[in-house]
Amino acid sequence: MSDDPTHVREFFGTRAADWDSRFPDDGPAYAAATSELSLRPGDAVLDAGCGTGRALPPLRTAVGPTGTVLGADLTPEMLAEAVRAGRGGPGGGTLLLADIGRLPVRDGALDAVFGAGLISHLADPVADLAELARVVRPGGRLALFHPIGRAALAARHGRQITPDDLRAEPRLRPLLAEAGWRLVSYVDEDARYLALAVREG
């Protein structure tokens, strides 16, 4: 799939209405991955490329009623589904129609960023990951997640893993470093993909 923002919006826009029903069993994986951010009550967190907002309720649980949860996505139809599912507002987060490369968030405002299935859809991975670093305080965390690993995902689409995959650790580590992050943990198993990074600074 193209990483051009217009194509990304079209791709997800046409699939938004039945997105959650296509992946009905992912909830526990999202909850487990969000817990890896070690969020505390009162923290501020962004779900970057939040889609239908499946990570928003566990993020809200982690930061509590005094915390801040933002969900940003490029696709209006996905955000509409998040609202329909009750994941916007007090039980989830504030939803923003926004490009990850130009976030309406001040420098260092956040404690963490969660991104599910995000990295392969970034138009300019270094610049976009640097934008995520901009909005996170030094020492804050980034979780790049997918509910299944790279090999399982490639098999689902009838493809092989390629060496140029941005999610592969040898590609991801220097990419994150260039953008202001330090990779601290990397798991790529059939049942989970999770890369954790810390904001340098």
Side-chain angles (χ1 to χ4, degrees):
M1 193 192 117
S2 169
D3 53 15
D4 175 86
T6 302
H7 295 152
V8 170
R9 194 180 297 115
E10 290 170 355
F11 177 89
F12 286 107
T14 60
R15 291 163 173 80
D18 68 344
W19 190 258
D20 284 354
S21 64
R22 293 175 62 196
F23 308 105
D25 302 321
D26 286 351
Y30 272 78
T34 58
S35 73
E36 299 278 351
L37 283 170
S38 302
L39 293 166
R40 296 167 298 187
D43 277 355
V45 60
L46 167 70
D47 183 0
C50 68
T52 61
R54 289 178 291 177
L56 297 176
L59 291 172
R60 169 57 65 198
T61 298
V63 303
T66 62
T68 300
V69 178
L70 304 175
D73 203 274
L74 193 61
T75 308
E77 295 89 345
M78 283 289 194
L79 294 177
E81 289 302 317
V83 171
R84 270 193 276 280
R87 296 174 183 143
T94 300
L95 301 176
L96 306 171
L97 180 62
D99 187 333
I100 299 307
R102 294 181 298 280
L103 290 166
V105 178
R106 65 179 170 79
D107 293 3
L110 304 175
D111 297 290
V113 174
F114 182 81
L118 177 69
I119 194 162
S120 58
H121 302 303
L122 298 178
D124 185 337
V126 171
D128 294 342
L129 289 167
E131 174 68 353
L132 295 180
R134 178 189 69 78
V135 300
V136 173
R137 63 170 174 77
R141 292 167 73 85
L142 168 68
L144 298 173
F145 165 73
H146 201 283
I148 61 174
R150 293 187 310 124
L153 184 61
R156 178 186 285 176
H157 296 290
R159 296 192 306 257
Q160 297 290 321
I161 294 178
T162 60
D164 63 344
D165 183 353
L166 293 177
R167 294 162 296 182
E169 185 174 5
R171 289 289 313 277
L172 185 63
R173 186 178 295 276
L175 182 70
L176 287 167
E178 189 174 351
W181 298 96
R182 176 171 51 86
L183 185 65
V184 295
S185 174
Y186 182 90
V187 176
D188 183 13
E189 303 167 339
D190 279 351
R192 179 171 77 149
Y193 175 92
L194 183 65
L196 294 173
V198 171
R199 171 73 168 94
E200 298 279 49

